[in-house]
């Protein structure tokens, strides 16, 4: 049973999300919070699997609360907002969020999103994903590249190659086809890569790949690949 905490300063949104998720056979809404400070306290007390996090809340906002929850608990954070603004996408990801969706999603999409981030995958609204990548490729790599690049030394060549493909937005099936391996093998590479780099999910892997200089805008990787 997935344990969910809902953090939103509007009663109607908390009630609506609670009804949708509480009706799912595999989910339990274990608590609510009306601001960032309460969200942090409840996440630590209740230890939920997933926190639905509003961005604009009184006191500590959702980004600040996400950062503290991800740093001090095992909960995955799914950010929900009415505002489709670039800085929220990047800041939420940098704070450790595993997902970013607008509040106009359908009820079935919300339940799917909770299951997705609970399983360890990352989930961003398509428009948010596109803008995040566009923002990353505009950011110069100098200054942070040497420090971040050093973290990549722990990876094998195949794990580095997998990271580059993940950063290119490829799914596991597409990576498997590109590397001529099975999806199970790809999942193993991704899991080991995330563990070695101490990353929570694929979105953070994309950020590190661009900021370290491993992936550069306009580069293509057409090298020959062999079966594992």
């Amino acid at each position: 049973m997935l344990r969910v905490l809902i953090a939103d300063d509007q009663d109607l949104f908390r009630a609506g999300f609670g009804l949708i998720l509480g009706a799912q056979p595999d989910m339990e809404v274990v608590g609510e919070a009306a601001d960032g400070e309460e969200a942090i306290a409840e996440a630590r007390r209740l230890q939920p699997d997933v926190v639905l996090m509003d961005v604009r809340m009184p006191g500590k906002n959702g980004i600040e609360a996400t950062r503290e929850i991800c740093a001090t608990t095992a909960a995955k954070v799914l950010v929900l907002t009415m505002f489709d603004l670039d800085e929220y996408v990047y800041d939420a990801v940098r704070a450790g969020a595993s997902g970013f969706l607008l509040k106009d999603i359908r009820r079935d999409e919300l339940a799917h999103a909770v299951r997705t981030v609970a399983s360890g995958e990352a989930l961003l609204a398509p428009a948010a994903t596109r803008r995040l990548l566009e923002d990353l490729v505009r950011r110069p790599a100098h200054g942070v590249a040497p420090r971040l690049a050093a973290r990549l030394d722990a990876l094998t060549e195949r794990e580095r190659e997998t990271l580059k493909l993940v950063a290119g937005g490829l799914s596991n099936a597409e990576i498997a086809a590109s590397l001529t391996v099975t999806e199970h093998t790809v999942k193993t590479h991704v899991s080991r890569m995330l563990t070695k780099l101490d990353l929570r999910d694929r979105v953070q892997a994309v950020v590190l790949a661009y900021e370290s200089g491993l992936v550069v805008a306009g580069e293509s990787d057409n090298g020959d690949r062999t079966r594992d």
Side-chain angles (χ1 to χ4, degrees):
M1 186 71 71
L2 295 179
R3 296 165 51 82
V4 183
L5 170 67
I6 301 173
D8 196 298
D9 64 335
Q10 298 189 41
D11 291 342
L12 287 178
F13 278 117
R14 293 200 307 274
F17 294 149
L19 285 174
I20 293 170
L21 298 180
Q24 303 300 312
D26 58 340
M27 295 182 194
E28 176 187 7
V29 177
V30 295
E32 297 182 2
D35 57 49
E37 289 284 6
E38 188 177 8
I40 295 168
E42 289 298 273
R44 291 172 176 168
R45 183 177 72 86
L46 298 170
Q47 295 295 309
D49 298 300
V50 177
V51 179
L52 287 188
M53 181 71 72
D54 186 26
V55 171
R56 293 190 175 184
M57 293 188 293
K60 285 198 174 191
N61 63 34
I63 303 300
E64 295 170 331
T66 293
R67 184 174 294 110
E68 291 202 32
I69 289 171
C70 289
T72 59
T73 78
K76 304 295 177 61
V77 176
L78 177 58
V79 172
L80 289 160
T81 180
M82 293 285 291
F83 305 96
D84 188 12
L85 301 178
D86 295 356
E87 63 266 26
Y88 288 153
V89 179
Y90 194 78
D91 289 346
V93 169
R94 296 297 293 164
S98 296
F100 185 102
L101 294 173
L102 297 179
K103 288 182 177 178
D104 61 358
I105 61 171
R106 300 192 309 269
R107 64 177 61 198
D108 59 321
E109 292 177 327
L110 177 61
H112 171 72
V114 170
R115 294 186 184 100
T116 297
V117 299
S119 71
E121 295 293 329
L123 190 147
L124 293 176
T129 302
R130 184 183 68 252
R131 288 196 314 277
L132 173 63
L133 293 175
E134 289 172 351
D135 184 66
L136 285 171
V137 300
R138 287 196 301 267
R139 291 171 181 262
H142 60 78
V144 298
R147 174 177 55 83
L148 294 176
R151 296 176 60 183
L152 302 178
D153 292 341
L155 303 182
T156 65
E157 284 303 312
R158 181 47 58 92
E159 289 163 355
R160 287 171 68 95
E161 190 171 19
T162 299
L163 174 56
K164 292 178 72 173
L165 295 173
V166 167
L170 274 65
S171 66
N172 284 348
E174 291 168 331
I175 294 174
S178 180
L179 298 179
T180 321
V181 298
T182 66
E183 284 192 55
H184 177 75
T185 298
V186 172
K187 290 179 180 178
T188 299
H189 289 324
V190 171
S191 176
R192 289 175 178 170
M193 175 263 292
L194 293 176
T195 298
K196 289 181 179 181
L197 296 175
D198 192 26
L199 301 174
R200 294 174 68 92
D201 53 47
R202 295 166 77 105
V203 175
Q204 290 196 325
V206 172
V207 172
L208 185 142
Y210 276 100
E211 290 190 335
S212 68
L214 177 66
V215 175
V216 178
E219 267 193 354
S220 62
D221 182 12
N222 298 317
D224 294 333
R225 299 184 175 95
T226 57
R227 183 180 297 272
D228 285 353

